[in-house]
Amino acid sequence: MEYERLAKEKLPKMIYDYYASGAEDEWTLKENRYAFSRILFRPRILVDVSKIDMTTTVLGFKISMPIMVAPTAMQKMAHPDGEYATARASAAAGTIMTLSSWGTSSVEEVASTGPGVRFFQLYVYKDRNVVTQLVKRAEKAGFKAIVLTVDTPRLGRRESDIKNRFVLPPNLSLKNFDGLNLGKLDKTDDSGLASYVAGQIDRSLSWKDVQWLKSITPLPILVKGVLTAEDARIAVQYGVAGIIVSNHGARQLDYVPATIMALEEVVKATQNRVPVFLDGGIRRGTDVFKALALGASGVFIGRPVVFSLAVDGEAGVRKTLQMLHDELELTMALSGCRSLAEISRNHIVAPWDPPRVTPRL
């Protein structure tokens, strides 16, 4: 949270507002955070917690902790090293980075930073050749999964971007689209990004396109942007490798629930057939624990990465990942959990739980 304040002081208003803002009234933006505060712990005591194992496996890849880096666009607006710094920090932390389609560094550039497990987030463009080319490039660059964003047929109304007439600074471009005449995000009367999305992103995207994507790549596909049991069940039917419960950082449809409130519904609907992850509102290790207790296999963090990147580059991102790791470890110890497998639904109480009746002794 400290990094957010420092980033606000350091970044130009247009850029800080782009990262920090949500859609319309920003009710969901506030709720993404506030909802965590309504979930309380039921810690178990006198458990030997001298050794704590936080490692986990995601799509077969062993990582140091169930905390991964979400796709966030245009990171070089935050810091000159941008996605390079985030990739190095994620690899150093032993976790997964997801590169945004709208990165200011390309898949090849991010791969050049060295080893590390990386996923590629995909927006589906009207021109499917562009999509196919991009997926093939991500494969070739060693990316291990495709994260398909499914909640953006149109861009949400982000009023600060409209007021600021948000555009990508002239020295930057959407690197994955350089040479395709799709990398520029310039002149506009409102939000340059909204205009770009309206012109390029395919509004007709539907479940059959998940099938199409599976036909063009052997990489596992995660769908990001699921908030209901109904869509979770369909996703499983279409053979996705995993689901990310996400409301796009509260930047799309305002007044959808906080992701932590939607999580359990989605987890139950999948009946353990695919892993379910959560993104949105994670700021502390306690938040991570609550998501795991509600059935998430892991979480993705977005804004904490961008703000710490803005303040201190790669070192800032490393520190954020380390702090979340240490906080989760402490929360596990104080809750009596020695491994992620021991974190159970009984370790928390949520507002929607029925009152607990104490058995008579």
Side-chain angles (χ1 to χ4, degrees):
M1 300 299 270
E2 187 77 357
Y3 276 126
E4 180 161 4
R5 187 179 57 75
L6 295 169
K8 187 172 188 176
E9 289 167 14
K10 191 167 181 178
L11 291 171
K13 180 173 162 47
M14 179 188 80
I15 292 171
Y16 172 80
D17 285 354
Y18 170 72
Y19 292 134
S21 65
E24 297 191 352
D25 297 331
E26 299 189 333
W27 182 85
T28 298
L29 184 69
K30 294 187 263 295
E31 179 67 4
N32 263 359
R33 287 286 318 113
Y34 180 56
F36 279 104
S37 70
R38 300 195 297 267
I39 297 167
L40 305 180
F41 292 125
R42 300 182 70 248
R44 301 300 306 275
I45 50 158
L46 295 176
V47 177
D48 174 358
V49 290
S50 52
K51 289 191 178 69
I52 289 190
D53 178 13
M54 297 172 62
T55 60
T56 188
T57 302
V58 171
L59 302 186
F61 299 99
K62 192 163 187 189
I63 54 175
S64 65
M65 57 180 173
I67 302 164
M68 297 163 281
V69 174
T72 50
M74 312 178 215
Q75 291 180 13
K76 283 187 180 175
M77 293 196 306
H79 188 277
D81 295 342
E83 293 83 1
Y84 287 81
T86 303
R88 287 192 291 259
S90 305
T95 194
I96 293 166
M97 173 199 178
T98 316
L99 175 66
S100 168
S101 273
W102 295 338
T104 35
S105 311
S106 68
V107 286
E108 294 84 4
E109 288 171 333
V110 168
S112 78
T113 61
V117 180
R118 302 186 184 104
F119 294 171
F120 180 67
Q121 176 274 333
L122 181 69
Y123 283 115
V124 176
Y125 279 59
K126 290 174 182 173
D127 182 344
R128 292 308 162 89
N129 293 329
V130 168
V131 180
T132 305
Q133 209 178 322
L134 201 48
V135 169
K136 293 295 168 208
R137 281 171 56 200
E139 265 175 47
K140 197 172 166 205
F143 284 70
K144 302 299 184 197
I146 300 294
V147 174
L148 177 66
T149 295
V150 293
D151 59 9
T152 313
R154 295 174 60 173
L155 204 70
R157 185 178 168 84
R158 305 167 192 175
E159 291 177 356
S160 54
D161 287 352
I162 295 168
K163 285 177 193 150
N164 294 332
R165 299 191 168 191
F166 172 79
V167 290
L168 193 54
N171 58 317
L172 299 175
S173 68
L174 303 182
K175 265 292 174 23
N176 286 313
F177 302 99
D178 275 6
L180 293 168
N181 296 326
L182 295 172
K184 281 283 169 246
L185 209 162
D186 41 22
K187 296 182 210 48
T188 181
D189 294 329
D190 46 26
S191 154
L193 188 60
S195 306
Y196 182 82
V197 169
Q200 302 297 345
I201 302 303
D202 191 349
R203 292 185 189 184
S204 76
L205 192 71
S206 69
W207 286 107
K208 69 177 187 323
D209 297 294
V210 174
Q211 251 171 330
W212 169 76
L213 197 55
K214 283 181 75 179
S215 78
I216 66 163
T217 181
L219 295 179
I221 294 160
L222 296 162
V223 287
K224 176 176 180 280
V226 173
L227 290 170
T228 63
E230 295 90 326
D231 283 332
R233 282 190 283 267
I234 299 171
V236 170
Q237 284 163 13
Y238 274 86
V240 304
I243 289 170
I244 302 175
V245 174
S246 172
N247 53 31
H248 211 114
R251 293 158 75 78
Q252 282 299 97
L253 181 62
D254 201 12
Y255 298 97
V256 295
T259 47
I260 195 69
M261 301 297 279
L263 175 62
E264 198 166 32
E265 172 183 326
V266 171
V267 168
K268 284 178 176 168
T270 62
Q271 299 175 318
N272 290 325
R273 281 154 72 190
V274 298
V276 175
F277 305 95
L278 173 132
D279 113 335
I282 300 273
R283 296 294 180 276
R284 281 202 176 268
T286 49
D287 300 332
V288 181
F289 186 101
K290 290 170 186 181
L292 298 173
L294 284 166
S297 293
V299 303
F300 288 86
I301 54 165
R303 287 187 182 92
V305 167
V306 174
F307 292 139
S308 55
L309 175 68
V311 173
D312 203 13
E314 182 186 336
V317 180
R318 280 187 186 225
K319 191 169 178 196
T320 287
L321 290 168
Q322 187 63 49
M323 285 193 300
L324 286 168
H325 172 281
D326 294 350
E327 286 177 11
L328 175 58
E329 187 176 45
L330 181 60
T331 306
M332 288 171 69
L334 297 178
S335 296
C337 299
R338 291 163 293 200
S339 68
L340 302 182
E342 289 187 354
I343 300 175
S344 77
R345 185 62 173 82
N346 290 327
H347 284 99
I348 58 161
V349 57
W352 57 90
D353 289 348
R356 283 179 183 273
V357 180
T358 316
R360 280 212 187 94
L361 294 175

